[in-house]
Amino acid sequence: MERDQKLRRSRAVRLTDEALGLLQRAMLERWHLSGETRRLSRASRAAMLDLSVGTAERILRQEGNDRAVLVQAFQCLDLAWEDRYCEPCPQGQEEPSAPPDEPPAPVARRSARWPRPAMHFLAVCLVACACIAVLRSGTLVKSPPTPSLDAAKAQALAESSLSSGRTAYQRADFDQAEIHAIRAIRVAREWKMVHLMADALRLQGDALVAQGSLEEGVAIYRETLPLWATFHFPHGHASLLEALGVAEARRGRLNEARTFLEESLRRLKPLNDPGGIAGVSRSLGSVAAVSGDLQVAHQWYASALQAIKARPDKGMQADLRALDALLLRDEGKFARAASELGECLKFWESIGHRRWQATTRFQRATVFLASGDLAKADAETNQAKQLFAEVGDRAGMAQCSALLARKRLVLGDQARRIEEFF
């Protein structure tokens, strides 16, 4: 085994400067031809090369890889491979013996926020699809063809990518969720399967928002929003409005967020959806909390709990319990707030959801900071930052860094409160 690993490392090669330039130009050209206006993200690059994020990034950093991997990357972009495009790695830069691309499959985790009925996610897919096709018709003919596929196989491939993407999203592997979403979009666009494309766009938007790429996620959400006025699909419309409201709130646009959320709630009430009503009530409570209206926030959180009383949801109950604990902190009830958040943390650890663990630890850190216990505050913040890094949430990491720089809690700090309550 050791001999095989040494032999493998000795064969590791990397792209030459010339080859890297060819690859980068081809990727940008392919991206522009697809009609995309958003950034070419890590996940987008990996999907384009049909590789994991870690492997794609090593190629672009000119780090060691097997020659076959480099050849595959070129083939995915229809580039002719020549052996002169690779060179042996300098000593010390060989291919890692155990590349950190694919971590062991984590235990089942809940979604980035709280568990929602599957129909919420699926409802988006059938709406405004023809309009999306019209809006993107110029890109449909430009997308690179998927070889050896007929319509049935293409649909199966898109559906499989979506299923894999949802599974990755549920376990908080947002990079992989975005990769699968992009693959589904590519096939659905080529074959004009606009219902699958709409579903895949929503998944990509959710993955971007969960990683802190709020502006890009909002752009995707807004892309289909005007089309709902034409089609009668109230459940999907309400779900998209809620997602947009939460994303806008995280951007600090509280008035816009409140408008979207109130409209979402208005559309949900006639539909007999307790989980949906509870989710939107929770978000409206958080808008009130960030705005400093603690009494209104308490009322919204109580309404959310009441909505799911007949069908309890442990994840949402833990979330609401944590948010109420933050309100207790703001009222100066530090010991009780820390105790409540400790119980919430135990729940998220029991199901292995890293992002919610990060959020709860960040929340506990603010309680300790408000009470003047700087040592505990720093310890919790550092653990939260590490967990945010593991799931790729850059906004969460930035908030942790900001909190570590403080020596006291500023209750009126809107950016911090947004990260706490959303």
Side-chain angles (χ1 to χ4, degrees):
M1 173 68 74
E2 184 179 350
R3 179 178 179 276
D4 290 343
Q5 289 177 346
K6 288 181 178 178
L7 182 61
R8 183 181 180 210
R9 287 196 293 270
S10 70
R11 292 199 305 261
V13 294
R14 67 178 187 178
L15 290 179
T16 63
D17 292 341
E18 176 191 6
L20 178 62
L22 285 172
L23 191 71
Q24 291 175 326
R25 286 192 293 275
M27 291 176 72
L28 289 173
E29 181 180 356
R30 177 70 60 84
W31 189 248
H32 291 314
L33 283 175
S34 73
E36 291 287 354
T37 58
R38 293 178 287 273
R39 69 180 177 93
L40 181 56
S41 66
R42 295 169 70 244
S44 304
R45 291 193 293 265
M48 194 179 296
L49 300 177
D50 200 22
L51 297 170
S52 69
V53 170
T55 299
E57 290 301 295
R58 285 202 301 276
I59 289 175
L60 295 172
R61 291 196 300 264
Q62 292 178 286
E63 295 177 356
N65 275 286
D66 190 86
R67 176 183 176 279
V69 176
L70 304 183
V71 173
Q72 175 188 325
F74 267 58
Q75 289 175 342
C76 285
L77 295 171
D78 298 324
L79 292 172
W81 173 260
E82 297 182 22
D83 285 339
R84 65 187 178 87
Y85 288 156
C86 66
E87 61 187 11
C89 287
Q91 187 173 3
Q93 294 185 20
E94 298 88 354
E95 181 184 15
S97 58
D101 301 345
E102 307 292 348
V107 297
R109 296 181 171 92
R110 296 182 182 269
S111 63
R113 296 176 58 228
W114 52 86
R116 303 301 305 274
M119 63 186 298
H120 262 213
F121 189 85
L122 296 175
V124 180
C125 68
L126 297 176
V127 183
C129 301
C131 293
I132 295 177
V134 171
L135 289 173
R136 293 175 171 266
S137 58
T139 67
L140 288 171
V141 297
K142 295 177 182 178
S143 299
T146 304
S148 305
L149 285 182
D150 56 25
K153 290 181 180 178
Q155 179 170 339
L157 178 58
E159 289 174 347
S160 175
S161 295
L162 275 172
S163 177
S164 297
R166 295 188 193 108
T167 299
Y169 184 86
Q170 290 294 323
R171 68 172 186 251
D173 191 347
F174 303 124
D175 261 340
Q176 281 299 117
E178 189 184 357
I179 286 174
H180 289 300
I182 292 167
R183 288 172 178 163
I185 291 168
R186 185 172 60 201
V187 176
R189 180 179 293 158
E190 177 192 345
W191 288 88
K192 303 185 181 181
M193 296 173 179
V194 287
H195 63 294
L196 291 173
M197 184 171 172
D199 203 359
L201 282 168
R202 171 65 190 271
L203 175 59
Q204 186 186 16
D206 289 344
L208 286 166
V209 167
Q211 293 177 88
S213 298
L214 302 176
E215 186 173 348
E216 293 167 83
V218 166
I220 291 177
Y221 291 154
R222 285 182 177 272
E223 189 171 334
T224 58
L225 190 61
L227 308 177
W228 294 97
T230 305
F231 296 88
H232 181 65
F233 210 125
H235 209 292
H237 195 175
S239 174
L240 187 60
L241 284 166
E242 180 196 1
L244 185 52
V246 170
E248 289 288 28
R250 290 189 66 190
R251 297 175 73 195
R253 303 188 176 194
L254 298 182
N255 289 333
E256 292 90 337
R258 188 181 294 107
T259 298
F260 286 128
L261 291 167
E262 288 175 347
E263 179 63 15
S264 176
L265 187 61
R266 185 185 71 80
R267 292 174 180 273
L268 281 172
K269 283 183 175 178
L271 302 179
N272 191 28
D273 177 13
I277 291 172
V280 178
S281 298
R282 179 261 193 211
S283 297
L284 283 166
S286 292
V287 170
V290 172
S291 301
D293 198 337
L294 305 188
Q295 189 57 41
V296 171
H298 275 302
Q299 292 170 359
W300 276 118
Y301 293 151
S303 296
L305 284 171
Q306 183 63 32
I308 57 173
K309 185 176 181 180
R311 287 185 287 176
D313 182 310
K314 291 183 179 180
M316 185 176 286
Q317 287 172 332
D319 177 38
L320 291 166
R321 185 177 183 180
L323 295 174
D324 254 330
L326 292 183
L327 298 179
L328 293 173
R329 176 208 63 194
D330 293 346
E331 295 165 353
K333 302 171 184 177
F334 303 128
R336 185 178 165 194
S339 176
E340 289 288 295
L341 287 167
E343 292 302 310
C344 296
L345 181 60
K346 289 179 183 178
F347 170 74
W348 296 118
E349 289 176 337
S350 73
I351 64 171
H353 200 299
R354 292 174 295 169
R355 190 185 190 282
W356 271 115
Q357 292 173 45
T359 297
T360 308
R361 286 193 177 279
F362 182 86
Q363 292 166 335
R364 277 171 57 86
T366 67
V367 173
F368 291 131
L369 190 58
S371 67
D373 193 335
L374 300 184
K376 286 184 178 180
D378 285 351
E380 289 284 4
T381 307
N382 281 318
Q383 291 185 65
K385 187 175 182 179
Q386 177 61 38
L387 287 163
F388 278 128
E390 290 176 9
V391 299
D393 188 335
R394 293 177 291 277
M397 293 172 63
Q399 287 302 308
C400 287
S401 296
L403 197 66
L404 286 168
R406 296 188 179 96
K407 298 302 179 185
R408 64 185 181 87
L409 194 70
V410 180
L411 293 180
D413 184 341
Q414 186 184 85
R416 177 188 55 76
R417 292 181 69 81
I418 287 172
E419 189 59 36
E420 291 173 352
F421 285 96
F422 287 96

